[in-house]
């Protein structure tokens, strides 16, 4: 690794992976409590690189939650699909995903798609932390895109037009996809729908991000259905341009930590063409209610804000 590419901060090394997004962090042991200056350095790298990666961190569920809690309040595993039994903050992301709230019924989704986590909630988690446990020998990479640089690369007139727009985010299967009964039941019982600005002001950096979570954003308010679809197609194609993205090859013990206020990511679908298993676990951290450039906050249409796991009564 070239020394010029690596940035040393408080004894840890941050190695950028692409022009606009993604850095690997070396020199920390995530199984133990971190020094305050290491928490600050990781947080600074997260704000700059949007997603940071660690290697060879063989965390237990408890260590995963303890690491996460140094950066915010862990939420329940997933507000709609539940959590790993006995670990209320952990969400299981496996190739054959099960709805833990429905006695292990399959949630198998033959679709995948670019998205930002849980944007159907009025306060989507500000960050997600995913760790790899069973990793296929090839295939199964995850990609992230930088929504701030995507916004900045739009023309000024288009930025001006979308700055005042708002979109409806809903937790449903994409048009044309068929969901399992467990998926439909979970989504019906815990319906989540919110209106968010199309451009979100990052609460820590003040940057504007193109807040268009492709899988959950269904329509743009005040536009005709045809205008809404045409504009969404343009913006979705734009945010996933390869030059705004980074692609991560998982290993057992890899951890990815990303900022949901400025990124979208793509879960792999190639794993369904391979016989190998894939098992990861995720925590998410309580987020605030997004604000647009005009200062207008997001609004919940259905469902409650996502709270800290510790504050949620389980039923
Ligand atoms: C996720 O969408 O949080 C999971 C990404 C992955 O499975 O790689």
């Amino acid at each position: 690794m070239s020394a010029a590419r690596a940035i040393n901060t408080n004894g840890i090394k941050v190695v950028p992976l692409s022009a606009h997004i993604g850095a690997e962090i070396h020199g920390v042991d995530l199984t133990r409590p971190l020094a305050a200056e290491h928490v600050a350095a990781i947080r600074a790298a997260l704000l700059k690189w949007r997603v940071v990666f660690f290697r060879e961190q063989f965390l237990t569920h408890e260590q995963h939650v303890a690491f996460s809690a140094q950066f915010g309040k862990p939420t329940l595993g997933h507000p709609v699909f539940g959590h790993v039994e006995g670990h209320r903050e952990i969400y299981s992301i496996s190739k054959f995903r099960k709805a833990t709230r429905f006695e292990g019924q399959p949630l198998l989704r033959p679709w995948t798609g670019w998205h930002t986590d849980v944007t159907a909630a009025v306060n989507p988690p500000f960050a997600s932390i995913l760790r790899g446990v069973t990793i296929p020998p090839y295939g199964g990479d995850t990609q992230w895109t930088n929504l701030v640089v995507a916004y900045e690369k739009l023309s000024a007139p288009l930025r001006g037009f979308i700055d005042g727009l708002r979109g409806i985010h809903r937790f449903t299967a994409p048009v044309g996809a068929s969901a399992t009964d467990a998926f439909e039941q979970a989504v019906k019982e815990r319906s989540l729908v919110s209106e968010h600005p199309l451009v979100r002001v990052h609460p820590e950096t003040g940057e504007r991000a193109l807040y268009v979570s492709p899988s959950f954003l269904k329509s743009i308010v005040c536009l005709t259905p045809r205008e809404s679809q045409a504009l969404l197609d343009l913006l979705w194609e734009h945010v996933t341009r390869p030059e705004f993205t980074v692609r991560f090859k998982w290993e057992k013990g890899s951890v990815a930590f990303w900022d949901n206020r400025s990124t979208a990511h793509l879960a792999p679908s190639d794993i369904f063409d391979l016989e190998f298993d894939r098992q990861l676990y995720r925590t998410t951290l309580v987020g605030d209610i997004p604000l647009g450039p005009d200062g207008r906050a997001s609004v919940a249409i259905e469902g409650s804000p996502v709270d800290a796991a510790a504050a949620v009564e389980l039923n």
Side-chain angles (χ1 to χ4, degrees):
M1 158 205 336
S2 129
R5 284 173 51 220
I7 300 149
N8 282 291
T9 345
N10 297 312
I12 72 173
K13 199 181 279 179
V14 179
V15 184
L17 298 179
S18 77
H20 296 299
I21 182 167
E24 261 191 31
I25 297 187
H26 301 268
V28 276
D29 176 359
L30 306 189
T31 65
R32 296 156 180 261
L34 297 168
E37 62 267 29
H38 284 171
V39 172
I42 292 170
R43 212 175 167 105
L46 180 72
L47 291 179
K48 181 171 169 55
W49 293 106
R50 322 288 177 187
V51 52
V52 293
F53 305 107
F54 305 85
R55 297 285 189 187
E56 301 197 349
Q57 306 287 339
F58 303 100
L59 306 179
T60 62
H61 287 333
E62 288 81 3
Q63 288 166 337
H64 187 166
V65 175
F67 168 67
S68 308
Q70 294 172 92
F71 295 89
K73 290 186 188 145
T75 68
L76 266 194
H78 194 284
V80 177
F81 301 128
H83 54 85
V84 169
E85 177 126 25
H87 300 275
R88 46 163 59 204
E89 297 90 351
I90 301 278
Y91 178 47
S92 167
I93 295 191
S94 59
K95 181 168 169 181
F96 299 109
R97 239 181 261 199
K98 304 270 198 309
T100 44
R101 287 183 51 238
F102 297 99
E103 289 167 8
Q105 287 183 55
L107 274 181
L108 180 60
R109 295 180 290 173
W111 68 88
T112 176
W114 284 94
H115 65 281
T116 300
D117 288 331
V118 201
T119 59
V122 70
N123 64 333
F126 94 79
S128 303
I129 300 170
L130 186 63
R131 82 178 207 269
V133 172
T134 305
I135 302 300
Y138 51 89
D141 302 352
T142 310
Q143 295 174 66
W144 284 262
T145 191
N146 181 338
L147 300 178
V148 171
V149 76
Y151 175 79
E152 289 166 355
K153 296 280 186 184
L154 289 173
S155 65
L158 188 51
R159 287 200 305 267
F161 176 58
I162 63 170
D163 271 352
L165 294 178
R166 296 168 71 86
I168 303 298
H169 295 237
R170 184 185 293 277
F171 218 110
T172 52
V175 176
S178 54
T180 59
D181 290 347
F183 182 92
E184 293 295 7
Q185 193 185 344
V187 166
K188 202 161 132 214
E189 285 181 11
R190 298 206 179 164
S191 183
L192 278 180
V193 185
S194 295
E195 181 187 299
H196 293 300
L198 227 57
V199 175
R200 176 177 187 178
V201 178
H202 195 291
E204 290 188 73
T205 65
E207 299 163 302
R208 292 182 184 191
L210 193 45
Y211 201 55
V212 290
S213 178
S215 298
F216 300 131
L217 172 53
K218 305 294 180 185
S219 59
I220 301 177
V221 178
C222 294
L223 299 191
T224 66
R226 194 161 154 261
E227 291 167 345
S228 166
Q229 197 55 50
L231 184 53
L232 287 177
D233 286 342
L234 172 81
L235 296 176
W236 289 334
E237 186 275 332
H238 177 74
V239 295
T240 56
R241 280 168 61 182
E243 62 269 38
F244 306 150
T245 70
V246 66
R247 181 174 184 133
F248 186 62
K249 202 156 265 311
W250 290 93
E251 293 167 355
K252 187 176 166 65
S254 301
V255 172
F257 182 0
W258 65 92
D259 186 341
N260 275 309
R261 302 163 299 187
S262 59
T263 62
H265 56 279
L266 178 66
S269 53
D270 62 350
I271 50 174
F272 298 105
D273 299 331
L274 297 167
E275 76 270 26
F276 310 116
D277 202 2
R278 184 176 185 269
Q279 173 72 64
L280 300 92
Y281 292 99
R282 192 180 81 190
T283 57
T284 43
L285 301 175
V286 174
D288 50 6
I289 296 179
L291 296 176
D294 54 5
R296 276 178 72 198
S298 300
V299 176
I301 297 171
E302 287 175 29
S304 319
V306 176
D307 211 341
V312 178
E313 231 168 81
L314 298 177
N315 52 28

